[in-house]
Amino acid sequence: MRFMNGISLGQFIPGDSPIHNLDPRCKIASTFALLAGLFLASTPYDFILWGGLLALLSHFSKISIGTILRSGRPVLFLIVITVILNLFWTPGHELFRIGPLAVTREGAVFAFSMGMRLYFLVVFAAMLMMTTSPMSFSDGLERLFSPFSKIGFPASEMAMMMTIALRFIPTLFEETDRILKAQISRGADFESGGLIKRAKSFIPVLIPLFVLVFQRAENLATAMEARCYVPGAKRARLNPLAWRMGDTLAIAFVLGYIAFVMFAERTLFRALPL
């Protein structure tokens, strides 16, 4: 048994590609624009275009499409639950019935759209982390949040917290995998029995995991204090951020692609059957 085999969520993949070399502010702003565009998608055909964009990003980032698609695995359970709820509890034209539960045409379309929307939300966010180093991501967030510091918003502290949280997602999964293997080597069984029995069998995993999390948090706090970290203090940067023409073109491409998807949805896709 391996916990989240091949997980790539939150991991930075070093590389020298056009997307890696973009300014982190450009990538963060583009990702937020893409996430907003996903919420505007309402037909299943829209996600064909979103998949095409994902293929383009894979090509220009030099990251395999398989690695990008695997980043959505941690939320598959949530997606399945969302699809099931919308599939059986959306009123409309009944297609077939499973016992007391009816599957409607509107429910099938809405369930598919919601599931794909959640999946692409996670994949596009993971794409941002794969192509942006933790330090660049922190700098980009801090610069984007800096205008709000005038009204008391802790831009530096917020950027640091988000960077630390994202940085330790892969570490947390690795620790969980290591504890699971250790318990299995001692005879623990996580795959047999009912739901309650399997849930109870994970208690010996959760307790050492929480202990390790608190230990890492304490070690990180000690390391930051030893390096004289002061929240909100102005710091000199070895590689200051510089906005280039390529960043402007990337933002323009993302906004143009979102506009194209919305145009296709309201014109081309309206004539297609659902």
Side-chain angles (χ1 to χ4, degrees):
M1 178 179 182
R2 179 170 173 80
F3 184 76
M4 295 296 182
N5 185 27
I7 187 170
S8 55
L9 181 63
Q11 292 183 346
F12 169 59
I13 302 177
D16 184 18
S17 70
I19 296 182
H20 281 84
N21 296 330
L22 288 174
D23 189 284
R25 293 169 293 178
C26 170
K27 287 185 279 188
I28 294 171
S30 298
T31 301
F32 278 111
L34 290 173
L35 300 186
L38 283 169
F39 278 105
L40 297 175
S42 59
T43 67
Y45 300 109
D46 293 343
F47 298 101
I48 298 176
L49 297 179
W50 289 117
L53 177 61
L54 197 64
L56 284 175
L57 293 176
S58 172
H59 173 73
F60 286 109
S61 65
K62 301 178 182 179
I63 299 175
S64 68
I65 190 66
T67 300
I68 298 174
L69 294 178
R70 281 196 300 270
S71 63
R73 290 175 59 184
V75 295
L76 285 181
F77 178 75
L78 176 62
I79 292 174
V80 170
I81 295 298
T82 302
V83 168
I84 292 175
L85 291 176
N86 289 285
L87 190 63
F88 291 106
W89 276 273
T90 301
H93 178 73
E94 182 176 326
L95 295 177
F96 59 90
R97 181 175 291 272
I98 303 178
L101 302 177
V103 177
T104 64
R105 183 177 60 187
E106 291 79 4
V109 172
F110 188 68
F112 176 82
S113 298
M114 284 297 297
M116 294 302 296
R117 185 178 291 120
L118 286 174
Y119 182 77
F120 276 104
L121 283 172
V122 175
V123 169
F124 281 129
M127 190 71 191
L128 168 65
M129 302 311 301
M130 290 180 191
T131 57
T132 310
S133 66
M135 288 303 300
S136 296
F137 182 76
S138 177
D139 291 344
L141 278 180
E142 187 174 349
R143 292 289 295 274
L144 288 176
F145 290 155
S146 58
F148 300 101
S149 60
K150 297 179 181 178
I151 58 175
F153 183 79
S156 177
E157 293 87 334
M158 183 63 67
M160 179 62 69
M161 285 190 299
M162 293 182 67
T163 304
I164 291 174
L166 292 170
R167 162 63 182 82
F168 278 95
I169 289 176
T171 304
L172 182 63
F173 285 132
E174 290 176 3
E175 293 289 356
T176 305
D177 182 51
R178 187 168 61 86
I179 295 172
L180 280 172
K181 288 180 177 178
Q183 295 294 348
I184 291 174
S185 67
R186 294 180 176 90
D189 184 9
F190 298 103
E191 300 181 350
S192 63
L195 181 63
I196 297 178
K197 181 180 178 181
R198 295 176 65 179
K200 288 182 178 179
S201 65
F202 274 91
I203 295 178
V205 177
L206 295 177
I207 294 176
L209 181 62
F210 275 109
V211 172
L212 285 172
V213 167
F214 285 116
Q215 286 180 348
R216 285 188 174 273
E218 184 178 0
N219 293 337
L220 178 61
T222 303
M224 294 174 69
E225 289 180 0
R227 289 166 174 80
C228 301
Y229 173 75
V230 178
K234 293 184 178 180
R235 296 181 297 276
R237 305 185 186 279
L238 177 62
N239 299 308
L241 301 180
W243 190 275
R244 297 181 293 270
M245 180 59 68
D247 303 307
T248 304
L249 294 176
I251 287 282
F253 171 77
V254 169
L255 296 178
Y257 197 91
I258 294 174
F260 169 71
V261 174
M262 296 300 101
F263 173 78
E265 176 188 349
R266 286 161 175 76
T267 56
L268 301 177
F269 298 155
R270 290 295 183 184
L272 296 178
L274 291 178

